[in-house]
Amino acid sequence: MPESELPEDVVEEATRLTRLARDAVDPDEREAYLSARDELVDEHDFLSRVREEDDVLVLHPAEWVDDEGTVVPKQIDDVDRGVEQPLSGTGEEHEWSAIEEHNARLVATVAEKHGEDHAANARAFADFLGNHYVRRIETAGAPEVREFIEEYYPRNAWTTTEQRSILSESLKLLFDAADAEVPEYN
């Protein structure tokens, strides 16, 4: 199967921006994320939309669309040029081991720079996100962070009082290691 001409890092960033927009509370913030995503894919002459019925980000060549914004089937020369990226759960293209390796590198960065208590919290979040959602740290949205803090962490992370007291800071350090912001989960 031929690969899309859209670079993988562009697909990942467009997916991340779409998730951030979906989780944004402020309409202006939401619009800023969507605008950044659209500008990013436009640089490659692609368009983006979310297919709501199955929660998938669809990225496809702009040439497939007419002036009214409708996809014209006869313009589609090769469907493999388009990209479909699940926004929730896991997709076939995700491989748990690659995501675990990525997230483990971020946890190691936190351990090296900030110590074992922060690393234990980071590891708990990485385990939660990898095992339950098969997702990279930086793709987590507010719902996943809330679920981790409210449900997973109290029941499944064997933590010390110190670790519990620094959880929000640990999450910030982990997202910083991923060069991303913690979603607004409160």
Short mmCIF file of all heavy atoms in Angstrom, two decimals, residues 33-83:
data_model
loop_
_atom_site.label_atom_id
_atom_site.label_comp_id
_atom_site.label_asym_id
_atom_site.label_seq_id
_atom_site.Cartn_x
_atom_site.Cartn_y
_atom_site.Cartn_z
N TYR A 33 -6.66 26.27 18.02
CA TYR A 33 -6.11 24.93 17.73
C TYR A 33 -6.54 24.46 16.34
O TYR A 33 -5.73 23.92 15.57
CB TYR A 33 -6.59 23.91 18.77
CG TYR A 33 -5.94 24.05 20.12
CD1 TYR A 33 -6.72 24.04 21.27
CD2 TYR A 33 -4.56 24.15 20.27
CE1 TYR A 33 -6.14 24.15 22.53
CE2 TYR A 33 -3.98 24.26 21.52
CZ TYR A 33 -4.77 24.26 22.65
OH TYR A 33 -4.19 24.36 23.88
N LEU A 34 -7.81 24.65 16.00
CA LEU A 34 -8.30 24.21 14.68
C LEU A 34 -7.64 25.00 13.56
O LEU A 34 -7.29 24.44 12.52
CB LEU A 34 -9.83 24.34 14.61
CG LEU A 34 -10.60 23.41 15.54
CD1 LEU A 34 -12.10 23.69 15.44
CD2 LEU A 34 -10.31 21.95 15.24
N SER A 35 -7.44 26.30 13.79
CA SER A 35 -6.78 27.13 12.79
C SER A 35 -5.33 26.69 12.58
O SER A 35 -4.86 26.57 11.44
CB SER A 35 -6.84 28.59 13.24
OG SER A 35 -6.19 29.41 12.31
N ALA A 36 -4.64 26.41 13.69
CA ALA A 36 -3.24 25.92 13.59
C ALA A 36 -3.19 24.60 12.83
O ALA A 36 -2.31 24.38 12.00
CB ALA A 36 -2.64 25.78 14.98
N ARG A 37 -4.13 23.70 13.13
CA ARG A 37 -4.18 22.41 12.42
C ARG A 37 -4.40 22.62 10.93
O ARG A 37 -3.71 22.03 10.10
CB ARG A 37 -5.30 21.55 13.00
CG ARG A 37 -5.47 20.22 12.24
CD ARG A 37 -6.81 19.57 12.46
NE ARG A 37 -7.88 20.34 11.86
CZ ARG A 37 -9.17 20.17 12.16
NH1 ARG A 37 -9.54 19.29 13.07
NH2 ARG A 37 -10.09 20.89 11.55
N ASP A 38 -5.38 23.46 10.59
CA ASP A 38 -5.70 23.67 9.18
C ASP A 38 -4.55 24.32 8.42
O ASP A 38 -4.27 23.96 7.28
CB ASP A 38 -6.98 24.49 9.05
CG ASP A 38 -8.20 23.73 9.55
OD1 ASP A 38 -8.12 22.48 9.70
OD2 ASP A 38 -9.25 24.37 9.79
N GLU A 39 -3.85 25.27 9.06
CA GLU A 39 -2.68 25.89 8.43
C GLU A 39 -1.57 24.86 8.21
O GLU A 39 -0.91 24.86 7.17
CB GLU A 39 -2.16 27.03 9.29
CG GLU A 39 -3.05 28.26 9.28
CD GLU A 39 -2.55 29.35 10.21
OE1 GLU A 39 -1.35 29.35 10.57
OE2 GLU A 39 -3.38 30.19 10.59
N LEU A 40 -1.38 23.99 9.20
CA LEU A 40 -0.35 22.95 9.11
C LEU A 40 -0.58 22.04 7.91
O LEU A 40 0.33 21.79 7.11
CB LEU A 40 -0.32 22.13 10.40
CG LEU A 40 0.65 20.97 10.45
CD1 LEU A 40 2.09 21.46 10.47
CD2 LEU A 40 0.36 20.12 11.69
N VAL A 41 -1.79 21.52 7.77
CA VAL A 41 -2.05 20.59 6.66
C VAL A 41 -2.16 21.32 5.33
O VAL A 41 -1.84 20.76 4.28
CB VAL A 41 -3.28 19.68 6.92
CG1 VAL A 41 -3.06 18.83 8.15
CG2 VAL A 41 -4.56 20.46 7.03
N ASP A 42 -2.58 22.60 5.38
CA ASP A 42 -2.68 23.40 4.15
C ASP A 42 -1.30 23.59 3.51
O ASP A 42 -1.19 23.68 2.29
CB ASP A 42 -3.32 24.75 4.46
CG ASP A 42 -3.53 25.57 3.20
OD1 ASP A 42 -4.21 25.06 2.26
OD2 ASP A 42 -3.00 26.70 3.13
N GLU A 43 -0.24 23.63 4.33
CA GLU A 43 1.11 23.75 3.80
C GLU A 43 1.46 22.59 2.86
O GLU A 43 2.37 22.70 2.04
CB GLU A 43 2.13 23.81 4.94
CG GLU A 43 2.07 25.06 5.75
CD GLU A 43 3.01 25.03 6.95
OE1 GLU A 43 3.92 24.17 6.99
OE2 GLU A 43 2.82 25.86 7.86
N HIS A 44 0.72 21.49 2.99
CA HIS A 44 0.96 20.31 2.15
C HIS A 44 -0.18 20.12 1.15
O HIS A 44 -0.33 19.04 0.57
CB HIS A 44 1.10 19.07 3.03
CG HIS A 44 2.26 19.16 3.97
ND1 HIS A 44 3.53 18.79 3.61
CD2 HIS A 44 2.34 19.64 5.24
CE1 HIS A 44 4.36 19.01 4.62
NE2 HIS A 44 3.66 19.53 5.62
N ASP A 45 -1.01 21.16 0.98
CA ASP A 45 -2.18 21.13 0.09
C ASP A 45 -3.17 20.05 0.49
O ASP A 45 -3.73 19.35 -0.35
CB ASP A 45 -1.76 20.97 -1.38
CG ASP A 45 -0.97 22.17 -1.87
OD1 ASP A 45 -1.33 23.30 -1.50
OD2 ASP A 45 0.01 21.97 -2.61
N PHE A 46 -3.37 19.93 1.81
CA PHE A 46 -4.35 18.99 2.36
C PHE A 46 -5.43 19.76 3.10
O PHE A 46 -5.23 20.90 3.51
CB PHE A 46 -3.68 18.00 3.32
CG PHE A 46 -3.20 16.74 2.68
CD1 PHE A 46 -2.20 16.77 1.72
CD2 PHE A 46 -3.73 15.50 3.03
CE1 PHE A 46 -1.74 15.60 1.13
CE2 PHE A 46 -3.29 14.34 2.45
CZ PHE A 46 -2.29 14.38 1.49
N LEU A 47 -6.56 19.13 3.27
CA LEU A 47 -7.66 19.65 4.08
C LEU A 47 -7.93 18.68 5.21
O LEU A 47 -7.56 17.50 5.12
CB LEU A 47 -8.92 19.81 3.23
CG LEU A 47 -8.84 20.80 2.07
CD1 LEU A 47 -10.12 20.74 1.24
CD2 LEU A 47 -8.59 22.21 2.59
N SER A 48 -8.61 19.16 6.25
CA SER A 48 -8.92 18.29 7.38
C SER A 48 -10.38 18.44 7.77
O SER A 48 -10.99 19.49 7.56
CB SER A 48 -8.03 18.64 8.57
OG SER A 48 -8.25 19.98 8.95
N ARG A 49 -10.92 17.36 8.33
CA ARG A 49 -12.26 17.39 8.91
C ARG A 49 -12.35 16.23 9.88
O ARG A 49 -11.56 15.28 9.82
CB ARG A 49 -13.35 17.29 7.85
CG ARG A 49 -13.45 15.92 7.19
CD ARG A 49 -14.59 15.87 6.17
NE ARG A 49 -14.68 14.57 5.56
CZ ARG A 49 -15.35 13.53 6.06
NH1 ARG A 49 -16.01 13.67 7.19
NH2 ARG A 49 -15.39 12.37 5.44
N VAL A 50 -13.31 16.31 10.80
CA VAL A 50 -13.53 15.22 11.73
C VAL A 50 -14.81 14.51 11.31
O VAL A 50 -15.85 15.13 11.15
CB VAL A 50 -13.65 15.73 13.19
CG1 VAL A 50 -14.03 14.58 14.13
CG2 VAL A 50 -12.34 16.36 13.63
N ARG A 51 -14.69 13.21 11.11
CA ARG A 51 -15.86 12.38 10.81
C ARG A 51 -16.45 11.97 12.16
O ARG A 51 -15.92 11.11 12.85
CB ARG A 51 -15.44 11.17 9.97
CG ARG A 51 -16.61 10.45 9.33
CD ARG A 51 -16.17 9.39 8.34
NE ARG A 51 -15.29 8.43 8.97
CZ ARG A 51 -14.19 7.93 8.40
NH1 ARG A 51 -13.82 8.29 7.20
NH2 ARG A 51 -13.44 7.05 9.04
N GLU A 52 -17.50 12.66 12.55
CA GLU A 52 -18.08 12.52 13.89
C GLU A 52 -18.60 11.12 14.19
O GLU A 52 -18.48 10.64 15.32
CB GLU A 52 -19.20 13.54 14.10
CG GLU A 52 -18.78 14.99 13.96
CD GLU A 52 -17.83 15.46 15.05
OE1 GLU A 52 -17.79 14.85 16.14
OE2 GLU A 52 -17.13 16.46 14.81
N GLU A 53 -19.18 10.45 13.21
CA GLU A 53 -19.81 9.16 13.49
C GLU A 53 -18.86 8.10 14.03
O GLU A 53 -19.27 7.21 14.77
CB GLU A 53 -20.58 8.61 12.27
CG GLU A 53 -19.74 8.39 11.03
CD GLU A 53 -19.68 9.59 10.09
OE1 GLU A 53 -20.02 10.71 10.51
OE2 GLU A 53 -19.26 9.40 8.94
N ASP A 54 -17.57 8.19 13.69
CA ASP A 54 -16.62 7.24 14.26
C ASP A 54 -15.41 7.92 14.88
O ASP A 54 -14.41 7.28 15.19
CB ASP A 54 -16.20 6.18 13.23
CG ASP A 54 -15.59 6.75 11.97
OD1 ASP A 54 -15.56 8.00 11.82
OD2 ASP A 54 -15.16 5.98 11.11
N ASP A 55 -15.51 9.25 15.10
CA ASP A 55 -14.48 10.02 15.80
C ASP A 55 -13.11 9.85 15.16
O ASP A 55 -12.14 9.45 15.81
CB ASP A 55 -14.46 9.63 17.28
CG ASP A 55 -13.81 10.70 18.14
OD1 ASP A 55 -13.80 11.88 17.75
OD2 ASP A 55 -13.29 10.35 19.23
N VAL A 56 -13.04 10.17 13.86
CA VAL A 56 -11.81 10.01 13.09
C VAL A 56 -11.46 11.33 12.41
O VAL A 56 -12.32 11.99 11.82
CB VAL A 56 -11.98 8.90 12.02
CG1 VAL A 56 -10.82 8.88 11.05
CG2 VAL A 56 -12.15 7.55 12.68
N LEU A 57 -10.19 11.72 12.53
CA LEU A 57 -9.68 12.87 11.80
C LEU A 57 -9.36 12.40 10.39
O LEU A 57 -8.63 11.42 10.21
CB LEU A 57 -8.41 13.42 12.47
CG LEU A 57 -7.69 14.53 11.72
CD1 LEU A 57 -8.56 15.78 11.59
CD2 LEU A 57 -6.37 14.85 12.41
N VAL A 58 -9.91 13.10 9.40
CA VAL A 58 -9.67 12.75 8.00
C VAL A 58 -8.85 13.87 7.37
O VAL A 58 -9.24 15.04 7.44
CB VAL A 58 -11.01 12.58 7.23
CG1 VAL A 58 -10.75 12.26 5.77
CG2 VAL A 58 -11.88 11.51 7.89
N LEU A 59 -7.72 13.50 6.80
CA LEU A 59 -6.84 14.45 6.10
C LEU A 59 -6.74 13.98 4.66
O LEU A 59 -6.41 12.82 4.41
CB LEU A 59 -5.46 14.46 6.75
CG LEU A 59 -5.43 14.75 8.26
CD1 LEU A 59 -4.06 14.45 8.83
CD2 LEU A 59 -5.82 16.18 8.53
N HIS A 60 -7.05 14.87 3.72
CA HIS A 60 -7.02 14.45 2.31
C HIS A 60 -6.57 15.61 1.43
O HIS A 60 -6.66 16.78 1.83
CB HIS A 60 -8.38 13.93 1.87
CG HIS A 60 -9.50 14.92 2.03
ND1 HIS A 60 -9.71 15.94 1.15
CD2 HIS A 60 -10.44 15.03 2.99
CE1 HIS A 60 -10.74 16.66 1.55
NE2 HIS A 60 -11.20 16.14 2.68
N PRO A 61 -6.08 15.29 0.23
CA PRO A 61 -5.62 16.34 -0.68
C PRO A 61 -6.74 17.34 -0.98
O PRO A 61 -7.90 16.96 -1.19
CB PRO A 61 -5.22 15.57 -1.94
CG PRO A 61 -4.88 14.20 -1.45
CD PRO A 61 -5.85 13.95 -0.32
N ALA A 62 -6.38 18.61 -1.02
CA ALA A 62 -7.36 19.68 -1.30
C ALA A 62 -7.96 19.52 -2.69
O ALA A 62 -9.12 19.89 -2.91
CB ALA A 62 -6.69 21.04 -1.16
N GLU A 63 -7.21 18.93 -3.60
CA GLU A 63 -7.70 18.78 -4.98
C GLU A 63 -8.92 17.86 -5.09
O GLU A 63 -9.59 17.84 -6.11
CB GLU A 63 -6.57 18.27 -5.88
CG GLU A 63 -6.13 16.86 -5.54
CD GLU A 63 -4.77 16.50 -6.09
OE1 GLU A 63 -3.82 17.29 -5.94
OE2 GLU A 63 -4.65 15.40 -6.66
N TRP A 64 -9.21 17.11 -4.03
CA TRP A 64 -10.39 16.23 -4.05
C TRP A 64 -11.69 16.99 -3.80
O TRP A 64 -12.77 16.42 -3.88
CB TRP A 64 -10.27 15.15 -2.98
CG TRP A 64 -9.18 14.14 -3.22
CD1 TRP A 64 -8.30 14.07 -4.26
CD2 TRP A 64 -8.87 13.04 -2.37
NE1 TRP A 64 -7.45 13.02 -4.11
CE2 TRP A 64 -7.77 12.36 -2.95
CE3 TRP A 64 -9.38 12.57 -1.17
CZ2 TRP A 64 -7.20 11.22 -2.38
CZ3 TRP A 64 -8.82 11.44 -0.60
CH2 TRP A 64 -7.75 10.77 -1.20
N VAL A 65 -11.60 18.27 -3.46
CA VAL A 65 -12.77 19.04 -3.05
C VAL A 65 -13.06 20.14 -4.07
O VAL A 65 -12.15 20.81 -4.56
CB VAL A 65 -12.52 19.66 -1.65
CG1 VAL A 65 -13.69 20.51 -1.22
CG2 VAL A 65 -12.25 18.56 -0.64
N ASP A 66 -14.37 20.35 -4.37
CA ASP A 66 -14.75 21.42 -5.29
C ASP A 66 -14.86 22.75 -4.56
O ASP A 66 -14.62 22.84 -3.35
CB ASP A 66 -16.05 21.07 -6.03
CG ASP A 66 -17.26 21.00 -5.11
OD1 ASP A 66 -17.21 21.50 -3.97
OD2 ASP A 66 -18.29 20.44 -5.54
N ASP A 67 -15.24 23.79 -5.29
CA ASP A 67 -15.30 25.14 -4.72
C ASP A 67 -16.33 25.28 -3.61
O ASP A 67 -16.23 26.18 -2.78
CB ASP A 67 -15.61 26.17 -5.81
CG ASP A 67 -14.47 26.30 -6.81
OD1 ASP A 67 -13.33 25.97 -6.44
OD2 ASP A 67 -14.72 26.72 -7.95
N GLU A 68 -17.33 24.41 -3.58
CA GLU A 68 -18.35 24.45 -2.53
C GLU A 68 -17.95 23.65 -1.30
O GLU A 68 -18.71 23.54 -0.34
CB GLU A 68 -19.70 23.94 -3.05
CG GLU A 68 -20.41 24.90 -3.99
CD GLU A 68 -19.86 24.83 -5.41
OE1 GLU A 68 -19.60 23.71 -5.91
OE2 GLU A 68 -19.66 25.90 -6.01
N GLY A 69 -16.78 23.01 -1.33
CA GLY A 69 -16.32 22.24 -0.19
C GLY A 69 -16.77 20.80 -0.18
O GLY A 69 -16.67 20.11 0.83
N THR A 70 -17.27 20.31 -1.30
CA THR A 70 -17.76 18.94 -1.41
C THR A 70 -16.69 18.06 -2.06
O THR A 70 -16.09 18.45 -3.07
CB THR A 70 -19.04 18.89 -2.26
OG1 THR A 70 -19.99 19.80 -1.70
CG2 THR A 70 -19.63 17.50 -2.32
N VAL A 71 -16.48 16.88 -1.49
CA VAL A 71 -15.54 15.94 -2.10
C VAL A 71 -16.14 15.41 -3.40
O VAL A 71 -17.30 14.99 -3.44
CB VAL A 71 -15.23 14.76 -1.14
CG1 VAL A 71 -14.41 13.70 -1.84
CG2 VAL A 71 -14.51 15.26 0.10
N VAL A 72 -15.35 15.46 -4.47
CA VAL A 72 -15.78 15.00 -5.78
C VAL A 72 -15.11 13.65 -6.04
O VAL A 72 -13.90 13.59 -6.26
CB VAL A 72 -15.39 16.02 -6.88
CG1 VAL A 72 -15.85 15.54 -8.24
CG2 VAL A 72 -15.93 17.40 -6.55
N PRO A 73 -15.90 12.56 -6.01
CA PRO A 73 -15.31 11.22 -6.16
C PRO A 73 -14.41 11.05 -7.38
O PRO A 73 -13.38 10.39 -7.30
CB PRO A 73 -16.53 10.30 -6.22
CG PRO A 73 -17.58 11.04 -5.44
CD PRO A 73 -17.34 12.50 -5.76
N LYS A 74 -14.76 11.66 -8.51
CA LYS A 74 -13.93 11.49 -9.71
C LYS A 74 -12.57 12.18 -9.59
O LYS A 74 -11.67 11.90 -10.35
CB LYS A 74 -14.68 11.94 -10.96
CG LYS A 74 -14.92 13.41 -11.04
CD LYS A 74 -15.69 13.75 -12.31
CE LYS A 74 -15.91 15.26 -12.35
NZ LYS A 74 -16.68 15.66 -13.49
N GLN A 75 -12.41 13.07 -8.59
CA GLN A 75 -11.13 13.72 -8.35
C GLN A 75 -10.17 12.84 -7.54
O GLN A 75 -8.99 13.13 -7.44
CB GLN A 75 -11.33 15.04 -7.59
CG GLN A 75 -12.08 16.10 -8.36
CD GLN A 75 -11.23 16.64 -9.49
OE1 GLN A 75 -11.33 16.17 -10.63
NE2 GLN A 75 -10.39 17.59 -9.18
N ILE A 76 -10.71 11.79 -6.92
CA ILE A 76 -9.89 10.92 -6.06
C ILE A 76 -9.14 9.93 -6.94
O ILE A 76 -9.72 8.98 -7.46
CB ILE A 76 -10.77 10.20 -5.02
CG1 ILE A 76 -11.50 11.22 -4.16
CG2 ILE A 76 -9.92 9.26 -4.17
CD1 ILE A 76 -12.51 10.63 -3.21
N ASP A 77 -7.86 10.18 -7.10
CA ASP A 77 -7.05 9.32 -7.95
C ASP A 77 -6.52 8.10 -7.19
O ASP A 77 -6.36 7.03 -7.77
CB ASP A 77 -5.89 10.10 -8.55
CG ASP A 77 -5.05 10.82 -7.50
OD1 ASP A 77 -5.52 10.95 -6.35
OD2 ASP A 77 -3.94 11.26 -7.82
N ASP A 78 -6.25 8.25 -5.91
CA ASP A 78 -5.69 7.16 -5.10
C ASP A 78 -6.10 7.40 -3.66
O ASP A 78 -5.58 8.31 -3.01
CB ASP A 78 -4.17 7.15 -5.24
CG ASP A 78 -3.49 6.07 -4.41
OD1 ASP A 78 -4.20 5.26 -3.77
OD2 ASP A 78 -2.25 6.04 -4.39
N VAL A 79 -7.02 6.60 -3.13
CA VAL A 79 -7.53 6.81 -1.77
C VAL A 79 -6.42 6.72 -0.73
O VAL A 79 -6.55 7.29 0.36
CB VAL A 79 -8.67 5.83 -1.40
CG1 VAL A 79 -9.90 6.09 -2.24
CG2 VAL A 79 -8.22 4.40 -1.49
N ASP A 80 -5.32 6.03 -1.01
CA ASP A 80 -4.23 5.90 -0.06
C ASP A 80 -3.49 7.22 0.17
O ASP A 80 -2.69 7.32 1.10
CB ASP A 80 -3.23 4.83 -0.51
CG ASP A 80 -3.82 3.44 -0.39
OD1 ASP A 80 -4.66 3.23 0.50
OD2 ASP A 80 -3.44 2.56 -1.19
N ARG A 81 -3.79 8.23 -0.65
CA ARG A 81 -3.18 9.54 -0.42
C ARG A 81 -3.80 10.20 0.81
O ARG A 81 -3.18 11.06 1.43
CB ARG A 81 -3.36 10.43 -1.64
CG ARG A 81 -2.54 9.98 -2.83
CD ARG A 81 -2.77 10.87 -4.02
NE ARG A 81 -2.31 12.24 -3.74
CZ ARG A 81 -2.82 13.30 -4.36
NH1 ARG A 81 -3.78 13.19 -5.25
NH2 ARG A 81 -2.35 14.50 -4.06
N GLY A 82 -5.00 9.83 1.16
CA GLY A 82 -5.66 10.38 2.33
C GLY A 82 -5.22 9.65 3.59
O GLY A 82 -4.63 8.58 3.55
N VAL A 83 -5.52 10.27 4.73
CA VAL A 83 -5.14 9.71 6.03
C VAL A 83 -6.35 9.75 6.94
O VAL A 83 -7.06 10.76 6.98
CB VAL A 83 -4.00 10.53 6.68
CG1 VAL A 83 -3.66 10.00 8.06
CG2 VAL A 83 -2.77 10.56 5.79
#
